Amino acid sequence: MATVIEMLQWHEARIEKMEREYRRNLINGISGYKGANLIGTCDAEGQNNLAIFSSVMHIGANPAYLGIVMRPITVPRHTYNNIKETQYFTINAIQQHFFGKAHQTSANYPASLSEFNEAGLTPLHSELHPAPYVAESDIRIGLELSEELPVKSNGTIIIIGKVIEIQIAPKLVGPDGFVNLNKADIVAISGLDGYNEVRPLERMAYARPGTPPSALK
Amino acid sequence: MATVIEMLQWHEARIEKMEREYRRNLINGISGYKGANLIGTCDAEGQNNLAIFSSVMHIGANPAYLGIVMRPITVPRHTYNNIKETQYFTINAIQQHFFGKAHQTSANYPASLSEFNEAGLTPLHSELHPAPYVAESDIRIGLELSEELPVKSNGTIIIIGKVIEIQIAPKLVGPDGFVNLNKADIVAISGLDGYNEVRPLERMAYARPGTPPSALK
């Protein structure tokens, strides 16, 4: 077991003095693996936008809400502007066979170009809302803007969306609703630019006091 | 490529009518892989608490902020109460060699029992703040409460903490600050109870318009 003596230890003042890029990689990495998703939006004229996000979070299941963290200062705001303008966005899982294309959407394209075209991905439209899905993805979620939470600490914005549509490959959904992400080779992100493959260890049974942890039967 | 015809499609009204457990698994799974962390806190009397969270998110690198999503209605609120009482909490990465113990902290223990003892994990104290770290973890982060964001949509609470200490195994940090999570066998969570191992595919180079995606040299 590692003890504190063997660890690197940094306190606040030392973290503030780190070289900018070093700290960016470090702080983006220490929170662990992150979901890899493409956010699809369009503006009022129907111009599509597609952007990679590693910050999709679960907010609630009933009703179904998901959230994303938006960094208004450091990245182009097309996604944010489009969500405000049209009220809709999509979340599309990134799989191993197109993670390079997904990463390419992070390039700084002008609003007049669609990242779908530039990265080589296919927009797919729903009858329920105007935001484009990614046809290549086996998990596509349509959301309606529910609320916007400004983070006072640093100006970041958290967007909460209500799930209004789910399109998912049948093989990914188990009899109890569990989503087998590994069957679609969905990737995980580490840090700012690390892509990873994921394989299941165990599903664990509901934990109870006095009963040792065990795998789900 | 999967087309829309082959997909399961559910809209909002259908999602609302799903069986509760099925929807819970589904909505917790569709957002992709999640970081696996233990949150350490203590109350004003120094009684330790430890709880597993899959909702740690990156908020900002400079200054360094991380966030967690709290579900005040459906889980015991010891973690939340302790953070409010003492202002401090720790985030500790979950590794393959103790993911079963980490899962056990989700059992519904009374506040008088410490999940450290019950799950067989070791509290470790810092000189900088009162919240306990997990000695078994190779990534330990100490945070001070910065702000609390109530999510109006469903009563969830997002806690934002400022990073005031990092303890990390030296082998995990690359020369550019990139955190090699895989070198510590850090796990990823899928759904509510899925634990997964993760292996690196590529780090991708900074994406630029007109340049095809490529691996970082």
Side-chain angles (χ1 to χ4, degrees):
Chain A
M1 194 184 82
T3 67
V4 66
I5 296 160
E6 299 157 359
M7 305 285 268
L8 289 170
Q9 283 195 67
W10 294 306
H11 54 72
E12 193 175 358
R14 177 70 187 77
I15 295 165
E16 280 168 13
K17 280 185 204 127
M18 284 174 177
E19 189 272 319
R20 191 184 172 79
E21 211 49 34
Y22 186 95
R23 180 180 48 233
R24 224 171 137 230
N25 282 323
L26 180 73
I27 303 299
N28 273 279
I30 52 172
S31 60
Y33 292 105
K34 297 177 275 196
N37 289 289
L38 285 163
I39 308 289
T41 58
C42 64
D43 65 18
E45 280 72 48
Q47 170 71 37
N48 287 336
N49 186 276
L50 191 63
I52 189 166
F53 277 78
S54 63
S55 64
V56 173
M57 70 189 102
H58 176 80
I59 297 292
N62 185 25
Y65 289 107
L66 300 175
I68 42 174
V69 181
M70 294 267 169
R71 324 248 355 251
I73 299 151
T74 55
V75 299
R77 303 185 61 177
H78 304 156
T79 298
Y80 175 76
N81 292 341
N82 288 349
I83 293 174
K84 296 287 282 184
E85 211 167 287
T86 69
Q87 305 288 304
Y88 293 97
F89 61 106
T90 70
I91 295 174
N92 306 268
I94 300 172
Q95 292 158 249
Q96 207 166 321
H97 70 90
F98 65 93
F99 82 87
K101 292 177 177 180
H103 181 76
Q104 186 62 25
T105 65
S106 65
N108 192 11
Y109 294 109
S112 60
L113 290 178
S114 164
E115 291 81 5
F116 280 101
N117 294 335
E118 301 304 315
L121 292 165
T122 315
L124 184 76
H125 288 283
S126 167
E127 290 171 6
L128 297 181
H129 60 80
Y133 290 113
V134 176
E136 284 79 0
S137 176
D138 282 347
I139 304 180
R140 312 170 194 141
I141 312 164
L143 301 105
E144 183 177 4
L145 175 62
S146 177
E147 69 183 282
E148 181 183 345
L149 299 168
V151 179
K152 289 178 215 82
S153 302
N154 71 344
T156 296
I157 295 165
I158 297 174
I159 294 285
I160 310 288
K162 187 171 192 198
V163 176
I164 60 164
E165 187 176 30
I166 298 171
Q167 300 181 0
I168 187 165
K171 68 175 177 184
L172 304 187
V173 186
D176 64 351
F178 184 81
V179 182
N180 294 289
L181 301 168
N182 69 296
K183 287 194 184 170
D185 286 324
I186 287 166
V187 299
I189 289 177
S190 50
L192 288 159
D193 52 20
Y195 293 84
N196 304 273
E197 63 179 350
V198 186
R199 291 292 169 257
L201 291 165
E202 294 282 9
R203 281 186 72 187
M204 295 297 286
Y206 187 79
R208 295 176 198 284
T211 305
S214 63
L216 193 68
K217 296 283 181 293
Chain B
M1 194 186 79
T3 68
V4 68
I5 296 159
E6 299 157 0
M7 304 284 268
L8 290 170
Q9 276 187 270
W10 294 305
H11 54 72
E12 192 175 358
R14 177 69 186 75
I15 295 165
E16 280 167 16
K17 281 186 205 123
M18 284 174 177
E19 188 272 319
R20 190 183 173 79
E21 211 47 36
Y22 187 94
R23 181 181 48 233
R24 225 171 136 231
N25 282 323
L26 180 73
I27 304 299
N28 273 279
I30 52 173
S31 61
Y33 293 104
K34 297 177 274 197
N37 289 288
L38 285 163
I39 307 291
T41 57
C42 63
D43 66 17
E45 281 72 48
Q47 170 72 35
N48 286 337
N49 187 276
L50 190 63
I52 188 164
F53 276 79
S54 62
S55 63
V56 173
M57 69 189 102
H58 176 82
I59 297 292
N62 185 25
Y65 290 107
L66 300 174
I68 43 175
V69 181
M70 294 266 169
R71 325 249 355 253
I73 299 149
T74 56
V75 298
R77 303 185 63 178
H78 304 157
T79 298
Y80 174 75
N81 291 343
N82 287 349
I83 293 174
K84 296 287 282 184
E85 213 168 286
T86 67
Q87 305 288 305
Y88 292 97
F89 60 106
T90 70
I91 295 174
N92 308 268
I94 299 172
Q95 292 159 250
Q96 208 165 322
H97 70 91
F98 65 92
F99 81 87
K101 292 178 176 179
H103 181 76
Q104 187 62 24
T105 65
S106 66
N108 192 12
Y109 294 108
S112 60
L113 289 178
S114 164
E115 291 81 5
F116 280 100
N117 293 335
E118 301 304 315
L121 293 164
T122 315
L124 185 74
H125 289 282
S126 166
E127 289 172 8
L128 296 181
H129 59 80
Y133 290 114
V134 176
E136 284 79 1
S137 176
D138 282 346
I139 303 180
R140 311 170 195 142
I141 311 165
L143 302 102
E144 184 177 3
L145 175 62
S146 177
E147 70 183 280
E148 180 180 341
L149 299 167
V151 179
K152 289 178 215 81
S153 302
N154 71 344
T156 295
I157 296 165
I158 297 173
I159 293 284
I160 310 288
K162 188 172 192 198
V163 176
I164 59 163
E165 186 176 31
I166 298 171
Q167 300 181 1
I168 187 166
K171 67 175 178 184
L172 304 186
V173 186
D176 65 350
F178 183 82
V179 182
N180 293 289
L181 300 168
N182 69 296
K183 287 194 184 170
D185 286 324
I186 287 168
V187 300
I189 289 177
S190 51
L192 287 159
D193 52 19
Y195 293 82
N196 303 274
E197 63 178 349
V198 187
R199 291 292 167 257
L201 291 165
E202 294 281 9
R203 282 185 70 186
M204 295 297 286
Y206 186 81
R208 295 175 198 285
T211 305
S214 63
L216 193 68
K217 296 285 183 292

